[in-house]
Amino acid sequence: MWQRFTLYDVRVIGHYLGVLVLFSSLALLVPFITAIACQEWRPAAHYLLAIGVSLTVGAALRFLRIEPGRLDRQQALAVTGFAWIVLSFIATIPLYLSGHYVTYLDTLFDCVSGMTTTGASIIVDLDHLSNADNMWRFMMHLMGGFGLIVVALSFGLFGKRVDASLYMSEGRSEHVVPNVVQTTQFIAKIGMGIILVATVILTGLCLFIGMEPLRAFLQALWLSISGFITGGFAPMSQSVMYYHSFPIEVVLMLVMLVGSISFVLHAEVWKGRVAVFFRDLEIRTMVLWLAVVTCVFAASLSASADFSNLPAMLRRGLFMVISAFSTTGFQNITTNQLETSLTSGAFLVLAMLMAVGGSGGSTSGGIKFSRMGIIAKSMVSTIKEALAPDSARVVVAYNHVGRRVLTPDIVKEAMTVFILYVVTYAVGALVGIAHGFEAAPAIFESVSMASNGGIVSSLAAPGMAPTLEVFYIVQMWAGRLEFVTLIALLVEIVVSLNPRKWVVKR
Amino acid sequence: MRMRAWVVARTQAGLASGSKPVRSAASRAVRRGAVLGSARTLTAALALAAALALVLSLTPGFAGMLTPGCTGALSAVAYADEPAEGDNAVNTQQLPDSSFIYDTSIGDLAQADSYFDNQTVQVVGEAVGDAIRSGLDGRHRWITLSAEGDSSTISVHMTSEQAAKIDTFGKYGARGTMLQVRGTFYLVCPDHDGISDLHAEVVTVVSRGEEVPDEFDANAFVPGIVTVVAGLALLGVFYWLRERQR
């Protein structure tokens, strides 16, 4: 028996979406203040309009149910699923008015990319974008990276006592502390602390390379946000390559690495339990995976005439590996080099790195190390069972914030999400190929979108085919929510509409 | 296509520089011929030589054979015309006939394959962003050139003196100095850890940059103010209704 939405559910969902939309008007205040401070009057007018629209839409949605009560699991799922798209539409208002997009769909693509921390951008003439618009792009990263629901919960927008289903519907399952709201506040605090430290260091480095103080500070802040959130937007069109600075690249590599590690493990290190960190299944999977893939990547680069020398391989190769596996999407080589100078093997290794992604419970996208580790453990369990006598009971355990026993439910969840990711990567590649592109870039782009990786080849470009663009938007949305929330939501909508009744009537 | 266009341009330039000495030699021969009594013979021979040179230079296969002498003259003349490039008018790095100048676009370089690698190219673009320090000695700078009309950019490595020609960098509210840069394009630069860049040899300012600050227009804020007031009013009504229900 499938669950259906009742009218009451729709009104409650509408009310809470209104709460989130109202919250976005608070977030829009940041670029509005930036615009006024930098005397960017045109963007200031755009942001005032966007604030007005979000206030009006948010307040109107709240009228759907004046006293909504607490969200149940089903409603929480819908609020989370719709929030990412509704807030992306609100976010398009000032950016579309900036005149830096060829079509409205391009603006929506960038906003979904920003919110889902994919980091793929098809903006035109980024180097002339106002500080206010840039600030908004990175605010989207900040909200999306922590999670819209996490941010809303940490601000207490859903009340102090909240059901865990709302938190879990956004692809998070682990609690730093038992209380959901306190967990989200911890995530926000640790994230903001790291961003602050990185901003200070990067500001110094940007000043050293000759940037003006204001530009140095703003770009350091934006790079720190984008790096830690593993987003991938950059304030300049050449991405990180623009700075021509190895120290900046090193700092960003560290920030990306920190961002791709689970917040739960951050908390353990914070509490002084460093041994827990090194025993963790995710960390061990990460080290093993990166060691193997980096060797393959280096071997593949050695075969190319261009990147085979050690300094180039270390500087460009290492940065791209970390950017890809953390699903950040920063680049210190050009898109052209990605396609023409890298070997096809190195190109596909980057795609594989993005496909697997970082740690669960971090800001990274992709399948996640936790699932890969669990699937590997499941294989070990199957082999052990095959070798063990019939009377033996095989128990396989793993470490993830304490010792845990591998259960069929955990394996099923990991396998389901793994298969959904792989299928989405494959379907996205076929869609790209159907639009007349070569297979390798089509695979690369599809993986980049669904894993929220953000390193793009030549398929995602201003004014791209609308069908491909819409598919990529859906891929980014589905990948960020790790499919289950989205599929459950879509199924529930279809069931609620009861298509069989419509067919019988006709 | 561009290469062919350049070859034609170069051939015409070669003709222009090559034909001058031929004409002056011909006029001198006429005067000498009048004295020696063999003017007609000499004039006819030189005219024939000039015609042959014209035909050969227009023939693609022979264009290169004729140019070495002309190229040297052309290079000297061309470099002499360029301001502020030191006392030496001749570019000693310019190889006789193995390097070519492709008058190309930044967009083409941004999508370049190995065909453009290691070639002398010339591009025009707007200097955007900042002059980024290259190395610790402060003698070189990285300048980002942006193409007009599309989003393509290229990193240009130039001396601090060349970078000093830029009066404004492009950003919001500023149009950067338009530069014409001639230099060597590297698809994967061996000197800069594999970056794709252009090593500038000649930097010329095409047009100066300008600040275009936003002007405050109160009317532009009216739609925003109206929607904010409407939103706040709706929100006020919502809270009033909620309090009444409690």
Side-chain angles (χ1 to χ4, degrees):
Chain A
M1 177 71 184
W2 297 100
Q3 289 274 329
R4 286 180 187 173
F5 285 126
T6 60
L7 183 62
Y8 171 76
D9 290 329
V10 173
R11 291 170 68 188
V12 172
I13 292 163
H15 174 93
Y16 280 106
L17 278 175
V19 172
L20 286 171
V21 172
L22 278 176
F23 175 70
S24 75
S25 56
L26 271 181
L28 281 160
L29 273 175
V30 178
F32 179 65
I33 293 166
T34 308
I36 290 173
C38 298
Q39 297 188 324
E40 295 170 342
W41 302 117
R42 279 184 57 223
H46 300 158
Y47 282 96
L48 190 65
L49 178 65
I51 290 168
V53 171
S54 63
L55 275 174
T56 311
V57 172
L61 281 169
R62 290 189 78 179
F63 274 102
L64 286 173
R65 183 80 195 171
I66 306 282
E67 281 291 351
R70 277 179 69 178
L71 280 168
D72 63 25
R73 198 177 61 80
Q74 192 188 356
Q75 294 160 350
L77 206 78
V79 169
T80 307
F82 284 127
W84 290 84
I85 280 295
V86 171
L87 293 191
S88 294
F89 273 106
I90 294 287
T92 57
I93 298 168
L95 289 182
Y96 183 64
L97 292 173
S98 73
H100 281 263
Y101 291 91
V102 175
T103 62
Y104 178 76
L105 203 55
D106 283 4
T107 323
L108 184 64
F109 177 94
D110 254 31
C111 288
V112 172
S113 173
M115 287 281 185
T116 58
T117 69
T118 305
S121 185
I122 50 175
I123 192 167
V124 177
D125 197 15
L126 175 60
D127 300 323
H128 286 92
L129 193 69
S130 65
N131 287 328
D133 288 328
N134 257 322
M135 185 62 88
W136 181 230
R137 291 170 78 230
F138 291 94
M139 282 300 294
M140 286 194 291
H141 260 358
L142 195 64
M143 291 191 295
F146 285 129
L148 296 176
I149 301 301
V150 167
V151 173
L153 285 170
S154 66
F155 274 85
L157 294 184
F158 295 105
K160 286 181 180 170
R161 289 177 64 236
V162 183
D163 195 85
S165 55
L166 192 62
Y167 176 72
M168 290 165 77
S169 61
E170 209 171 37
R172 292 183 192 276
S173 54
E174 290 153 340
H175 295 212
V176 180
V177 284
N179 184 297
V180 170
V181 176
Q182 285 174 356
T183 298
T184 57
Q185 284 171 348
F186 175 83
I187 290 173
K189 272 180 198 167
I190 204 162
M192 294 311 288
I194 292 167
I195 288 169
L196 192 70
V197 172
T199 302
V200 172
I201 298 169
L202 287 175
T203 302
L205 291 171
C206 285
L207 285 171
F208 177 75
I209 60 171
M211 295 176 73
E212 293 167 14
L214 179 64
R215 280 176 66 82
F217 167 72
L218 286 176
Q219 300 217 2
L221 173 68
W222 297 332
L223 286 173
S224 304
I225 291 172
S226 195
F228 179 73
I229 292 302
T230 64
F233 276 169
M236 301 303 290
S237 58
Q238 290 191 329
S239 191
V240 174
M241 198 182 81
Y242 170 79
Y243 305 93
H244 301 282
S245 166
F246 186 56
I248 288 179
E249 287 166 23
V250 170
V251 172
L252 286 176
M253 279 193 275
L254 288 173
V255 172
M256 287 189 282
L257 275 171
V258 171
S260 64
I261 291 168
S262 168
F263 283 109
V264 182
L265 290 177
H266 280 295
E268 291 300 314
V269 174
W270 191 257
K271 291 170 193 165
R273 297 177 200 152
V274 183
V276 172
F277 179 85
F278 288 107
R279 273 205 301 267
D280 195 89
L281 175 75
E282 279 197 303
I283 299 300
R284 290 186 172 183
T285 311
M286 179 174 90
V287 171
L288 187 68
W289 169 245
L290 284 182
V292 171
V293 175
T294 306
C295 287
V296 175
F297 188 74
S300 181
L301 275 189
S302 304
S304 78
D306 298 325
F307 281 103
S308 54
N309 70 71
L310 194 62
M313 198 189 289
L314 277 178
R315 185 164 171 190
R316 310 288 159 197
L318 189 63
F319 187 90
M320 290 305 290
V321 163
I322 291 176
S323 177
F325 106 80
S326 63
T327 67
T328 306
F330 280 152
Q331 288 180 225
N332 70 347
I333 59 173
T334 62
T335 303
N336 182 47
Q337 284 180 307
L338 200 67
E339 288 187 322
T340 57
S341 301
L342 289 191
T343 58
S344 58
F347 189 62
L348 284 177
V349 167
L350 287 181
M352 283 173 71
L353 281 163
M354 285 194 287
V356 172
S359 299
S362 72
T363 57
S364 293
I367 297 166
K368 308 274 163 52
F369 291 131
S370 53
R371 295 197 180 98
M372 298 303 285
I374 284 166
I375 291 167
K377 283 276 180 186
S378 165
M379 287 177 195
V380 171
S381 171
T382 308
I383 293 164
K384 270 189 175 176
E385 278 172 10
L387 294 172
D390 291 343
S391 56
R393 183 170 168 266
V394 174
V395 176
V396 173
Y398 64 97
N399 282 299
H400 183 58
V401 198
R403 193 173 167 79
R404 299 181 186 196
V405 174
L406 195 71
T407 63
D409 281 347
I410 293 172
V411 177
K412 188 182 83 177
E413 189 275 338
M415 283 302 295
T416 305
V417 177
F418 176 84
I419 291 166
L420 283 170
Y421 264 110
V422 173
V423 168
T424 312
Y425 294 151
V427 173
L430 289 175
V431 172
I433 290 165
H435 280 81
F437 293 100
E438 292 289 324
I443 294 168
F444 190 89
E445 214 82 331
S446 170
V447 169
S448 177
M449 297 301 158
S451 69
N452 304 126
I455 301 174
V456 287
S457 56
S458 52
L459 272 71
M464 64 199 281
T467 44
L468 187 62
E469 200 163 12
V470 168
F471 191 83
Y472 283 162
I473 288 172
V474 173
Q475 268 192 310
M476 290 190 277
W477 184 28
R480 179 63 182 85
L481 294 174
E482 299 189 339
F483 302 102
V484 177
T485 298
L486 189 64
I487 292 171
L489 177 63
L490 290 176
V491 168
E492 204 153 359
I493 290 170
V494 170
V495 170
S496 302
L497 291 173
N498 200 357
R500 194 184 294 168
K501 189 177 76 183
W502 293 88
V503 172
V504 171
K505 266 188 180 176
R506 285 184 184 183
Chain B
M1 186 67 188
R2 273 196 190 81
M3 184 181 176
R4 202 179 298 152
W6 173 80
V7 167
V8 171
R10 193 172 179 222
T11 310
Q12 287 166 347
L15 265 177
S17 60
S19 59
K20 262 190 175 178
V22 171
R23 266 194 223 125
S24 60
S27 60
R28 280 197 299 273
V30 169
R31 285 195 295 274
R32 283 175 196 166
V35 176
L36 297 172
S38 57
R40 280 184 187 174
T41 317
L42 274 170
T43 308
L46 287 168
L48 188 66
L52 188 65
L54 175 69
V55 171
L56 285 176
S57 62
L58 288 173
T59 309
F62 289 91
M65 289 172 68
L66 278 180
T67 41
C70 297
T71 311
L74 176 64
S75 302
V77 170
Y79 279 99
D81 286 345
E82 281 149 6
E85 286 304 318
D87 297 333
N88 190 4
V90 179
N91 183 359
T92 53
Q93 301 298 312
Q94 185 81 30
L95 297 173
D97 205 26
S98 59
S99 70
F100 299 87
I101 297 168
Y102 295 93
D103 202 0
T104 184
S105 69
I106 293 170
D108 285 340
L109 292 184
Q111 295 166 5
D113 53 17
S114 55
Y115 179 72
F116 278 96
D117 195 20
N118 256 324
Q119 298 294 327
T120 304
V121 296
Q122 182 168 286
V123 293
V124 175
E126 179 191 354
V128 293
D130 314 79
I132 302 287
R133 180 200 295 265
S134 171
L136 295 172
D137 57 6
R139 287 168 60 191
H140 288 87
R141 296 272 161 180
W142 286 106
I143 301 297
T144 303
L145 279 195
S146 173
E148 264 191 316
D150 60 36
S151 296
S152 51
T153 53
I154 188 161
S155 295
V156 183
H157 191 247
M158 60 175 72
T159 62
S160 297
E161 291 77 27
Q162 288 170 329
K165 293 177 183 176
I166 301 164
D167 61 347
T168 312
F169 284 94
K171 59 185 174 188
Y172 184 80
R175 194 178 60 78
T177 308
M178 290 294 287
L179 295 180
Q180 184 185 59
V181 177
R182 185 188 302 169
T184 310
F185 174 73
Y186 293 99
L187 187 59
V188 179
C189 181
D191 299 335
H192 297 112
D193 300 336
I195 197 174
S196 190
D197 64 6
L198 174 60
H199 289 202
E201 286 161 17
V202 180
V203 176
T204 314
V205 174
V206 174
S207 65
R208 300 234 161 255
E210 60 176 333
E211 300 279 342
V212 197
D214 269 1
E215 283 183 18
F216 182 79
D217 176 16
N219 289 333
F221 286 86
V222 171
I225 292 166
V226 169
T227 50
V228 167
V229 169
L232 288 174
L234 269 176
L235 207 57
V237 172
F238 169 80
Y239 282 115
W240 179 70
L241 281 175
R242 199 170 73 170
E243 286 306 310
R244 269 188 59 183
Q245 278 196 6
R246 279 179 180 173

